[in-house]
Each structure stands twice: as structure tokens, then as C-alpha cells.
Amino acid sequence: MFCFQCEQTAGGTGCTTMGVCGKSNVTADFQDELTGALIGLAKAAGNSGRTKKSDELILSGLFMCITNVNFDNEAIEALTNEIKAEKASLAPGCTACSSHCGGTDDLDMAQLWSGDEDLRSLKSLLLLGMRGMAAYAYHAYVLGYTDDEVTGWFYKGLTAIDFEQDAARLLELVMEFGQINLKCMALLDKANTEAYGNPVPTEVTNTIEKGPFIVVSGHDLYDLKQLLEQTEGKGINIYTHGEMLPAHGYPELKKYSHLKGNFGTAWQNQQKEFLNVPAPFLFTTNCLMRPMPSYADRVYTTAVVGYPEMPHIGEVDGKKNFSIVIEKALELGGYEQDVHMPGINGGEKLMTGFAHNTVLSVADKVIDAVKSGALRHIFLIGGCDGAKPGRNYYTKLVELTPPDSVVLTCACGKYRFNDMDMGTLGGLPHIMDMGQCNDAYSAIRVAVALAEAFGCGVNDLPLSIVLSWYEQKAVCILLTLLSLGITNIRLGPTLPAFVSPNVYKILVEKFNIMPITTPEQDLAAMLK
């Protein structure tokens, strides 16, 4: 195996025997075969035309290969076989053709991993970015929203990973992809807000009430909505976990009185936070870790998530039946008394719901505050959390931000500091949670709107961006920011292993992207 797609990859270079995420070398090879088959499908569709089925397979296949999504070899192999069958239907004469041209061949991913370092780096940026974008497109798709340009770009990008050998052209495609991902994030924002309403600021408790409950992890709001509908009136409370926290801000979800609060912190703490908990856990997207024995009998997966021998809930005619999860919740019974689960810093309340609609509704006050000097600086500090040492940097950085500033945040990295009470500025909390990782779109919307109001570029605003990354959705967000020409982004806790020295040099020269150092040193530089 060879895998260097996540921040915690072995030795900072690549996992070669066992994934740090927990996937085996066999699973890694199955995922490589799936990816190679997707590239073959994309090439075949380029000759014969896309189908609805091929669109669905590309979204699911790319999504399935994101870190901590699927560890089930049988499920990966089954999807790979579907992909190969669809390719055969699009190019029925290729397998029997005596004049072999390679035009629809699956790609042997070993050729990519062992190839030229800089081409590998640029192609990995494309591939990993597309895996991230596929997750966003998938969530929009289940709500009935698609964008033909976004979907079509998956075929273009996958084909380029095999055929394109010019580094300059690949760099152009990486930047083009960033713009396409912006469209995809806008599509998902539209899908979510039209389905569930615009998020509103909402206080969320960390207290788990006595009685039966279910913990829902991941990102899929539609899965949560279906579970809320199916548990209504059954005496079962629902708690969010990890990236599902922002669900509490959506009016059409928060109207369910049994959506009670949030369980635990970020994804990497699940193996200790889930120990001996008398309730089932439903994983709707990525962030799944190997279940520990004390709770392995109560983990359920759905959509593209999978783990060997874990019950998987499929879909029939666009609907899912969560009855086995509900029955498990009633059987386990929950806690006998209320349990308090304070955040990393001891706080027992969280705030969420500060998406672009909320922030821009008071844009005039923000602008006046900046002009008057009451608001000195805006920090966007967000991204993935993880277990690797060094992430306390983000906690310390937020602690050090001056009182005449605000912190915008999104994704699960916020669990490092989102339970801290740091007061308000002009009626707005010092820390404003804008949502899930895909809700980085809200931060972009706010930044662009402020730049327009001040008649300047985003880079001229009193705004600093500090990102933490772990997996591929963070990659596609970074590429979107770069495609917008945003400079001086700080990235940590380490630089991606898949970015070669030459490619990194280009990013530094063009965008002044830089690694984090210390909170004190970086803050001083940002406030100059």
C-alpha cells in the first residue's frame, strides 16, 4: 500500500504497511483499485457520454475513499464491480477490441504513487480535492440538487490524472478546480438552507439527559432529519457528535424538541468518549474509527460509510429505515441520570448557527466597528481536528486573540476552543461557529461581502486565515481559497506530505502560504 492523503500519515511521508487511520494494506489496495476504476469510467464517459448512474458512482466512489469513511473490503469491492460494469456498458466494444489504445483502461494507481514527484503532487492535489468535493456534491445530491458543471468536472479531473503529463497544465487545473469547488459549496449551501432554513444562532448543551438516546455523527443533515422524524414521540433523545453540531442552528431541524444537545467533542476522541455508553451511534459520513469492544455492538453505518461486521443501513426509494437503531436505543435505555460532558476547556455550553445569513444581516455594524476601530481584526481559524500533537496551538491562538477582534470558525477543529466563553464585541460573540467544513463557504461569502463594502480586495481586509487540516475536504477548501487569490494563509499542524518541495515553492511564491509557528509569533505577525 501507499497512502499519504491525511495529515497523520506515517512519518510525515506515507503509510506503507498499515494506515494510521486504521485501514489495512488490503483495504488501501481495494481503494486504489476503486479509484483506478473511476478513472477508467471517466475516460469511457468522455467517449460515450455520462449517465445518471455514472454520475452517482463517481460521487459515491470518490467519497468512499476519504479518510475514515469505509474500512469494509466487501463494500469497496462491490462498488468497484458496479463501476466496472457501468464502464463496460458505456464502452461495450473496448474489452474485445484488437487495436488496444488504452483509452478506457482503469489506472494502476501504483503508476501514480511511484511516478515523477511533482506530477504526483499535482495529480494528488486534484484527486484528493475531488474526493473532498464529492462529499459536498453527494450531500447536495441526496437533497435533489445538482450542478452540471460541477458533476462534469469530476470526469475532466479524473481523466487528467491519467492523461495529463504537463506540470503547468496540471497547476492550471488545480486552480480551476478551486473555482468549481466554490460552486459546489454554494450548491450545498443552497440545498441545506432551502431544505432546513437559514441557520440561526443557537446555544447547545453538552448535558446528556437520562433515558434512551442516539448519537449521530458525520455531516449528513438529511439522515439526521429522517432519524428525527422516525424517533418523534418515542421517548428517545437525539444528540449530535462532531461535525453534526451545526445541525442545531437549522430551523427545520431544531424544531424537533428531542434534538437535545451535543455529545462529546471531535471525532478523534470517540474511542474514549464512547466507552461503555448505553446508547447506539450512527455514522452518516466520515470520521469513523475502529470501534472499541465496549461499544462495537452499538455502532451503525449508512451511506458510503462502512466497517466490517457493523450493521449498515441502506436506502430504499430515497428513504432509510432506522428501526434497528431505535430498537437498540430502547434496549440500552440510556443513562439513569443526567450526565454532563464538558468541552475540552471545561465549558458546558456551545454556540453555533453563525452562517453567512446571520453575519451579513449585521454587516453594517461590522463595517462601522472596523471603521471606528472598535473591531481591530477578524480571524478565520478553522478546519479539521486530529490526534497528532501540536493542535493545542489553535486553542492557545484563540486564547491570545485580542478582545477587539472576532474569531470565525467552522469544521471540527473548533472543538479545541468552542466551549470557551470569551465575551462579546458589539453584541456578537468573540467566537462565531459558522458550521461544518463545507460551511467555509459562509466565511468566503462574508469576506467577499466585506471587501466589496470597503472597496478593496479580500487580502486588504483586517482578516487573517489560519487553517488546520486532516483530510481531503480541507484540501478542496484550501484550493478554493487559493483560486480566489487569497494570500498569507497559515496551515498546520504540518504541511501535506503530498505537496512536493517544488510545488510547495510555487504555492509560497504565488500565495505566500506558510506553516504555522507558535501562537505568539503568528499572532504578532497577523496584527502588524
Side-chain angles (χ1 to χ4, degrees):
M1 71 175 287
F2 178 77
C3 183
F4 59 177
Q5 70 178 15
C6 85
E7 189 266 333
Q8 293 179 179
T9 195
T13 56
C15 297
T16 57
T17 57
M18 179 77 177
V20 173
C21 66
K23 71 180 175 185
S24 69
N25 60 335
V26 176
T27 301
D29 290 343
F30 271 118
Q31 290 185 348
D32 273 356
E33 183 182 0
L34 187 154
T35 302
L38 287 173
I39 291 171
L41 175 60
K43 293 190 295 183
N47 296 327
S48 306
R50 292 161 38 196
T51 64
K52 181 181 179 182
K53 179 69 172 178
S54 66
D55 289 352
E56 292 173 345
L57 289 170
I58 281 180
L59 290 186
S60 297
L62 286 168
F63 194 176
M64 184 175 276
C65 292
I66 288 179
T67 307
N68 290 89
V69 170
N70 200 298
F71 301 83
D72 188 341
N73 297 339
E74 291 184 3
I76 299 169
E77 184 178 31
L79 184 59
T80 302
N81 290 336
E82 282 192 69
I83 293 166
K84 291 182 176 182
E86 177 65 13
K87 185 185 79 169
S89 72
L90 294 180
C94 284
T95 55
C97 179
S98 58
S99 302
H100 185 70
C101 66
T104 65
D105 283 358
D106 297 351
L107 177 64
D108 179 358
M109 296 301 289
Q111 296 177 15
L112 175 59
W113 307 140
S114 62
D116 177 83
E117 182 181 43
D118 294 330
L119 291 179
R120 180 182 74 172
S121 179
L122 291 166
K123 290 182 178 185
S124 294
L125 276 171
L126 267 184
L127 174 61
L128 303 184
M130 284 190 290
R131 285 178 177 173
M133 185 170 78
Y136 300 151
Y138 181 97
H139 293 315
Y141 182 79
V142 298
L143 291 175
Y145 290 74
T146 60
D147 183 297
D148 193 64
E149 186 178 9
V150 170
T151 307
W153 214 95
F154 287 113
Y155 294 84
K156 179 178 182 177
L158 286 168
T159 300
I161 289 170
D162 191 359
F163 286 162
E164 187 58 67
Q165 302 301 321
D166 181 73
R169 175 56 183 153
L170 284 168
L171 186 60
E172 289 176 0
L173 287 171
V174 167
M175 292 298 104
E176 182 182 319
F177 164 79
Q179 288 292 310
I180 296 297
N181 185 59
L182 180 63
K183 290 196 68 173
C184 186
M185 289 196 293
L187 177 71
L188 180 55
D189 179 79
K190 179 181 180 181
N192 283 338
T193 54
E194 290 189 356
Y196 311 117
N198 282 300
V200 295
T202 302
E203 186 178 76
V204 183
T205 179
N206 275 339
T207 297
I208 312 303
E209 295 182 12
K210 66 180 181 180
F213 67 96
I214 299 170
V215 177
V216 185
S217 190
H219 305 70
D220 201 302
L221 300 178
Y222 185 49
D223 283 340
L224 175 62
K225 176 71 156 48
Q226 292 181 79
L227 181 65
L228 288 168
E229 291 172 343
Q230 293 174 34
T231 50
E232 192 168 25
K234 288 185 167 62
I236 300 173
N237 291 328
I238 306 299
Y239 294 87
T240 57
H241 171 261
E243 286 265 50
M244 198 63 84
L245 168 65
H248 292 275
Y250 287 94
E252 288 302 307
L253 298 176
K254 65 181 299 177
K255 72 180 183 182
Y256 291 92
S257 60
H258 61 300
L259 178 60
K260 288 289 187 176
N262 191 68
F263 182 101
T265 53
W267 68 273
Q268 79 280 356
N269 298 319
Q270 66 190 257
Q271 288 180 327
K272 60 181 180 182
E273 291 180 341
F274 290 5
L275 288 176
N276 301 308
V277 172
F281 303 92
L282 174 64
F283 282 85
T284 66
T285 58
N286 55 316
C287 305
L288 173 65
M289 298 175 73
R290 178 177 63 86
M292 303 301 284
S294 84
Y295 65 87
D297 67 334
R298 59 203 67 179
V299 172
Y300 299 84
T301 63
T302 190
V304 296
V305 191
Y307 201 91
E309 301 179 3
M310 297 291 113
H312 185 81
I313 298 165
E315 184 177 273
V316 179
D317 297 328
K319 299 291 183 181
K320 295 179 181 179
N321 183 348
F322 292 112
S323 59
I324 60 171
V325 188
I326 294 169
E327 290 166 4
K328 192 67 172 181
L330 293 171
E331 172 195 331
L332 293 170
Y335 293 117
E336 295 182 357
Q337 57 186 11
D338 293 357
V339 173
H340 302 288
M341 297 187 68
I344 289 176
N345 304 287
E348 295 189 355
K349 298 285 186 181
L350 306 173
M351 287 292 295
T352 192
F354 291 92
H356 60 85
N357 186 70
T358 294
V359 177
L360 292 179
S361 70
V362 293
D364 56 337
K365 296 179 181 179
V366 175
I367 293 167
D368 289 343
V370 172
K371 288 181 177 178
S372 69
L375 175 55
R376 179 184 178 191
H377 207 81
I378 300 171
F379 296 92
L380 172 56
I381 304 174
C384 308
D385 206 356
K388 197 171 182 178
R391 290 180 179 270
N392 59 337
Y393 164 95
Y394 298 94
T395 307
K396 185 65 174 177
L397 180 63
V398 171
E399 287 178 339
L400 292 173
T401 53
D404 55 353
S405 67
V406 293
V407 175
L408 306 179
T409 190
C410 59
C412 63
K414 62 177 171 270
Y415 280 100
R416 295 281 170 169
F417 49 79
N418 68 339
D419 64 319
M420 296 191 298
D421 184 0
M422 296 188 63
T424 61
L425 179 65
L428 292 173
H430 184 76
I431 302 172
M432 289 183 278
D433 175 15
M434 307 191 88
Q436 298 178 340
C437 57
N438 49 284
D439 294 316
Y441 176 73
S442 275
I444 294 171
R445 281 281 305 272
V446 169
V448 170
L450 290 177
E452 290 175 351
F454 282 106
C456 66
V458 172
N459 294 322
D460 300 314
L461 291 170
L463 168 69
S464 296
I465 300 176
V466 187
L467 301 180
S468 58
W469 81 282
Y470 175 74
E471 46 92 324
Q472 295 77 69
K473 282 176 279 185
V475 175
C476 67
I477 292 169
L478 174 63
L479 294 180
T480 291
L481 294 172
L482 297 181
S483 75
L484 292 170
I486 296 175
T487 61
N488 304 315
I489 297 171
R490 286 172 167 80
L491 182 65
T494 60
L495 295 174
F498 50 81
V499 177
S500 68
N502 287 333
V503 172
Y504 178 62
K505 181 180 179 182
I506 292 171
L507 297 180
V508 170
E509 290 174 349
K510 189 173 179 64
F511 301 105
N512 197 33
I513 191 170
M514 64 193 86
I516 60 173
T517 59
T518 68
E520 294 82 1
Q521 182 177 328
D522 288 347
L523 184 64
M526 288 185 280
L527 291 175
K528 278 185 178 179

